[in-house]
Amino acid sequence: MSVWNKVFHTQPNAWHLIDTGIHILNLCDHALRLSTCNSPGDAVPIAARKQAVATWVRVKRLLQQDIGSKMKTRDECEDEEVSAMTRVLVAVEMLRCNRSPRHKEFSVPGLPELVSMASECSWSDAVVELQAWCQLAAVCHHAKDHRSVLRCTGSALQLEAAAAASLGATARVLYGPTAVSEMLSGAGCLRALTLVRESGGDLHAYGEAMELLLAAVRNAEKAESPALCVAAAGRYWSTCLPLTQTPEGRRQLLEPLEEILSALVHTNRKHKQNKGRASLTLTAPPLGSSKHEASEEEDLSLRAAMYSLLLHVHLERTDWAGAQQLLDRAIRDTPRSRHRLPLLKHRILVKAQLGKSVLADMQKFQDEEEQCCSSMWHQVALCAGNITQQLTCYQKSITCLLSEESRWEKLGLLLEFGEWLYGHDFPKAAARRQVQWAVDLLLLVGRERAEGSEVTSQKRSLSSESPVGMRGSSWTSLKEVRRLDGLVRAHTLLAVMADRTSPERRLNLLRASVFVLRIWQVSMAVGWEISNEMAKNQPAPPPTSAGSKKGKDKGKGKKGIDPTPVEERPKPVVLDQELPSSPQDWARYACPQQARLIFRTNSNPHCVNTLSITKQTQSLFYLDLLERELCSLSLDHLTSPIMHLAETIAHDLLDRSGLSDLYRLRIVRRCSQLGLETHSPYQEKLLSLSRIQEQEQMRCHRAIAVSHEGRGLHQGANQKVEGDGVVGFGQQKREVSAQHIWLDKADVCLGLGLHQAARQLLAEAHCVAEELRDLTTMARSLLSLAVLACEEQNFAQALILLDEAHAVGGDEEFWYQLTLTNVRAVVGQRDQDAHTKAEQIIKRGYVALKLVLERRVNRAPEIIFFITSLEMREQSSVWSFSIRMSLSFSSCTIQWVKGMYILVLCALLCSRGAVESIRALGGGEPGKRFSNEAVQRLMAACDTLRECASGFIKLGYKDHAAETHAEYAHGLRTLAGRSAHAEDKRRFLLDGVSQLQLAVTEQEHVALTAQTLLPSQQELILRRLCRCLPHYRRERRLASVEKET
């Protein structure tokens, strides 16, 4: 009676409540006696008796009265069938009451026994039986008696037709079609959940559960119950999640999810129309929850998830029209809420992909923040199907940003817009204006103009007297790494957009390299401050006490290790903020581990970290581009700080050890090119650096597994690469994949002579590319394997690989390299018609490049360089082959000397290629004459080489111009040596000396230009840049001697 004692103390009318309860109990007893059905004419429906039983049990519980294990009422019923049904109904109600805490708990039989009792009854009303089974199933589910749940729900679902038929005979005031549909929906949910739990991977059971849940949704829709409909739909969604991981599974869910969404929308609409109209519900919701109302948030969240999956299915099929229809329906059926905005964004992007106008939809973003509007316009620009729409969207994404808080977003968009304009062959001045505007914002110059009218800012022009971005500001005052990183990107872009022969190109490259040095300076200064503070705060070691000294003296004769004296303990190391000051020092440099730890853990804006360099992949792309451009101007002795910064970003910010190893290999190669290979700390680690990292292999295996599950998601990687503006601009937005790292590593290994390591890297990259269907990587790997085969003199294998690479295709740089490698392999086979095949290959190559040139206006200098290089290679191969075919050698053998491939702007590595010229050394008998055909061919080749040299000079490729002059001189000397007339011989030799003099002049000009930047490093620069100069001078002296004799 403790419960009632509490009631008496808290409620003054407790005795009145007890009297009321007893009165109700007496009424229930009277009602049960009236429904005893002892006389056949006085039969009462079991449905009415069930209501009295339920009330009677609940009042018993409130009055703390026991019912007994026999579950009998005082109705004196003589009908055994009715008594059996009554006992089951009483037991079910007692079990339901026992689930409520803090009340009296009845003693009831076990669930299996009760289920058996219910199955043995002869039920006179199918609806009552259905309700009993549903309530009993909910109790069994709560008790986790899954076998009984399956038995109860199976019996309940078999009564669907019988219950529908009995509704006509049952009073509608007690039951109706709505109640029956609700009970069937609940029973289906419980059975499905149990089947999933007990399936143990059985696909048949899993499929049956999905069908049951779908039927539960249909019944909930018939009942017009939003709560049950959301509950059943939620159970279906949770159950089908494993199927969403594969394309086939997602396609199987297309029709069921559309049906469920239709049911949810219809039920919700009907519920709102009938709101306020009460309905009698006689069954508990699934899982026995007391909550019977579904929140609108739960409904909208579920619908949004299903719409997202259906959109995914349409996009996998590239069914853009179907995707728009789906989104139109979703937006129409979704009320204004946070779930409606993502659907609207998706519809805008789909419309942009279809080339439709998005202005009406974008007007709905007027109330959103400016960053949201700008981001949406930017996404539309990336998805738009035509240039005009992309241009408009880029402009609107920039003009949306007006506040100071959105400055960084505006800077990024300006730089990207400038790239886009340049890459799509808009006037270079228009592209430069966007980048110059970004530079001014970065340096906070003209702040009022930058935050004011965009029209005024866009009319800003390049000043030849005072470089843009440097007016009124000193770069030494810049300390924010994020700003410096943006300046590196901006000035690299300005350099690429400038003409190659323009001083502005070289000036912007030097500025960008200065900003890289500034990043190192400010970062190491912060590192020094942090390490110094850590050293000061480190607790001092406790002093040695007299007692400890005495004990130490006593134990001198004992074996043991004396503690380290305080004076000998290592002191905290303070980071040295001094940076290397010369190429030799940079060659020895490796970022200290203490600095790396600081870079990984601190958030200082004046230091390299993930907050100051937020887009690490993009930063690496521009550092690579800057390094490549400096090498193209023979300023590779300035690139070491750039590569060290890239290595630090890859190692400590991206945490990509494989990418870090790639940059370390490049540092070793650069040191080797500068003659400083012994200085590099990474020289001894070449083998470990060239290995494939296990983490990269695991990442590739995961990518392959995902690719096998969803081929439709990788369509972007399967497209053939078309150059877009500056080569590789599209790559800066993607994560650097492991197979691309392996390809770049293989290129470096080929340059360093590590052929075995290169073969392993290329084989693994090609295998992964085939699995992922990555055509770009496949083409590159096949081409690199062909180059490796040529290095090993396996020209037949090289030609097979080149044919496979040709079938895949690539951009203009790929075709250029493919043509050169193809010529090398064909000529290397030394067939009789090799020179004819080489001519045909090269002609096809530069005809294709000329077609590209017509479409790519802004890249004209680079493409013209490719064409000129191919023309030079054609003539060089022709006259060299003619020499070999015109001379007859007896015991002499021919040695073939490899030059350098010319590779400018397109490859990730600098000047690694070779001009494939075939020379005959130790030739035939002196004075042996050429045939007339050979002489004409060689003279035509010399004329072409002269034109190529002139073209290289105009394009600003002085190194290649010097090489071409030397090749031209070599051909003239060859003609002179086989000429029959003294005048012709003298003329050839004079022209050869003149060409060698031009070669020496051009090479000296390159060396002097480089020396002006680092006068103190004259010896190093001469050693790096003038390796060909002594050869040219020696050839010039020999030619002069031949001319005199």
Side-chain angles (χ1 to χ4, degrees), residues 583-809:
Q584 291 91 337
D585 294 338
W586 276 110
R588 300 186 186 95
Y589 184 75
C591 186
Q593 292 299 324
Q594 190 175 6
R596 292 183 186 275
L597 178 62
I598 293 172
F599 295 162
R600 287 194 295 265
T601 56
N602 88 99
S603 58
N604 193 310
H606 300 159
C607 179
V608 171
N609 53 61
T610 55
L611 296 180
S612 60
I613 301 181
T614 55
K615 299 179 180 179
Q616 295 91 14
T617 303
Q618 186 181 73
S619 299
L620 289 178
F621 172 84
Y622 282 98
L623 290 174
D624 291 344
L625 182 60
L626 174 60
E627 184 250 350
R628 202 159 57 237
E629 291 296 319
L630 287 171
C631 290
S632 71
L633 297 182
S634 299
L635 300 176
D636 35 358
H637 53 287
L638 301 179
T639 59
S640 293
I642 299 170
M643 288 189 292
H644 278 288
L645 179 59
E647 188 275 333
T648 302
I649 293 174
H651 186 274
D652 301 307
L653 303 190
L654 283 174
D655 195 20
R656 298 286 300 275
S657 57
L659 188 57
S660 172
D661 289 346
L662 170 62
Y663 284 108
R664 293 179 181 183
L665 283 172
R666 289 178 175 176
I667 291 171
V668 172
R669 184 187 59 184
R670 176 67 68 245
C671 292
S672 177
Q673 292 170 348
L674 294 174
L676 303 172
E677 56 270 14
T678 59
H679 293 61
S680 176
Y682 304 124
Q683 180 69 34
E684 299 178 354
K685 304 177 182 178
L686 280 179
L687 294 180
S688 63
L689 294 176
S690 59
R691 292 196 186 105
I692 297 176
Q693 298 285 342
E694 292 184 3
Q695 294 180 350
E696 293 176 346
Q697 283 185 315
M698 293 172 61
R699 188 179 293 111
C700 283
H701 292 161
R702 286 195 296 267
I704 291 172
V706 173
S707 175
H708 287 169
E709 293 175 355
R711 290 293 187 187
L713 300 180
H714 299 279
Q715 293 178 356
N718 295 341
Q719 304 300 324
K720 293 188 177 181
V721 176
E722 298 293 339
D724 190 14
V726 181
V727 174
F729 267 173
Q731 299 174 1
Q732 57 171 298
K733 300 177 180 68
R734 298 195 298 266
E735 182 182 359
V736 183
S737 63
Q739 58 267 30
H740 290 162
I741 295 175
W742 297 339
L743 288 176
D744 292 339
K745 275 188 176 182
D747 288 340
V748 181
C749 290
L750 283 173
L752 295 174
L754 303 175
H755 291 176
Q756 184 60 30
R759 181 179 293 102
Q760 294 176 355
L761 290 164
L762 292 173
E764 189 71 21
H766 183 68
C767 179
V768 172
E770 284 185 328
E771 293 290 342
L772 294 177
R773 300 182 184 178
D774 184 354
L775 300 185
T776 305
T777 304
M778 288 176 61
R780 283 190 59 193
S781 61
L782 289 169
L783 180 57
S784 297
L785 285 170
V787 173
L788 177 60
C790 288
E791 291 288 340
E792 297 174 343
Q793 305 297 310
N794 191 354
F795 299 110
Q797 180 66 24
L799 289 174
I800 296 174
L801 293 168
L802 289 169
D803 289 340
E804 295 179 11
H806 184 277
V808 179

Side-chain angles (χ1 to χ4, degrees), residues 938-953:
L938 287 174
M939 292 184 67
C942 290
D943 292 339
T944 303
L945 289 174
R946 183 180 65 251
E947 295 174 359
C948 289
S950 176
F952 282 137
I953 292 174

Side-chain angles (χ1 to χ4, degrees), residues 385-596:
N386 58 77
I387 299 296
T388 304
Q389 189 176 19
Q390 285 181 307
L391 177 64
T392 302
C393 293
Y394 266 118
Q395 291 173 335
K396 289 184 177 295
S397 68
I398 294 172
T399 55
C400 283
L401 300 174
L402 301 175
S403 65
E404 180 67 19
E405 291 74 16
S406 58
R407 181 182 62 183
W408 290 112
E409 290 81 0
K410 190 170 188 176
L411 287 169
L413 287 173
L414 284 171
L415 293 175
E416 184 178 335
F417 187 36
E419 298 170 13
W420 184 86
L421 290 172
Y422 178 78
H424 288 80
D425 297 314
F426 283 84
K428 290 184 179 180
R432 282 197 295 265
R433 276 198 296 270
Q434 312 305 319
V435 183
Q436 291 161 6
W437 183 7
V439 171
D440 283 349
L441 289 176
L442 284 166
L443 293 173
L444 298 179
V445 177
R447 184 170 183 176
E448 296 78 13
R449 289 178 296 169
E451 295 178 354
S453 173
E454 281 76 10
V455 177
T456 305
S457 299
Q458 291 195 14
K459 291 182 179 179
R460 206 171 292 157
S461 61
L462 180 64
S463 173
S464 58
E465 297 179 359
S466 179
V468 173
M470 304 303 286
R471 298 186 294 270
S473 177
S474 173
W475 64 269
T476 56
S477 62
L478 297 174
K479 293 185 178 181
E480 195 173 357
V481 171
R482 188 175 185 181
R483 187 178 302 174
L484 290 167
D485 180 57
L487 289 169
V488 171
R489 178 185 175 189
H491 284 91
T492 304
L493 278 174
L494 289 173
V496 172
M497 293 175 184
D499 294 335
R500 182 174 176 81
T501 57
S502 170
E504 192 67 25
R505 185 186 188 98
R506 181 168 174 265
L507 179 60
N508 282 309
L509 289 175
L510 294 177
R511 285 176 180 165
S513 62
V514 167
F515 290 128
V516 170
L517 283 173
R518 185 60 181 164
I519 291 175
W520 275 114
Q521 290 173 355
V522 298
S523 299
M524 296 305 289
V526 170
W528 176 83
E529 293 177 0
I530 293 175
S531 62
N532 191 30
E533 190 67 24
M534 291 172 61
K536 290 180 180 179
N537 295 335
Q538 184 171 347
T544 305
S545 62
S548 63
K549 289 183 179 180
K550 184 177 180 180
K552 182 178 178 181
D553 294 339
K554 289 181 179 180
K556 280 184 178 180
K558 299 180 181 179
K559 293 182 180 181
I561 300 176
D562 295 338
T564 304
V566 176
E567 304 82 22
E568 298 178 4
R569 292 180 184 175
K571 297 181 179 180
V573 179
V574 177
L575 184 65
D576 185 7
Q577 62 178 327
E578 292 296 329
L579 289 171
S581 58
S582 65
Q584 291 91 337
D585 294 338
W586 276 110
R588 300 186 186 95
Y589 184 75
C591 186
Q593 292 299 324
Q594 190 175 6
R596 292 183 186 275

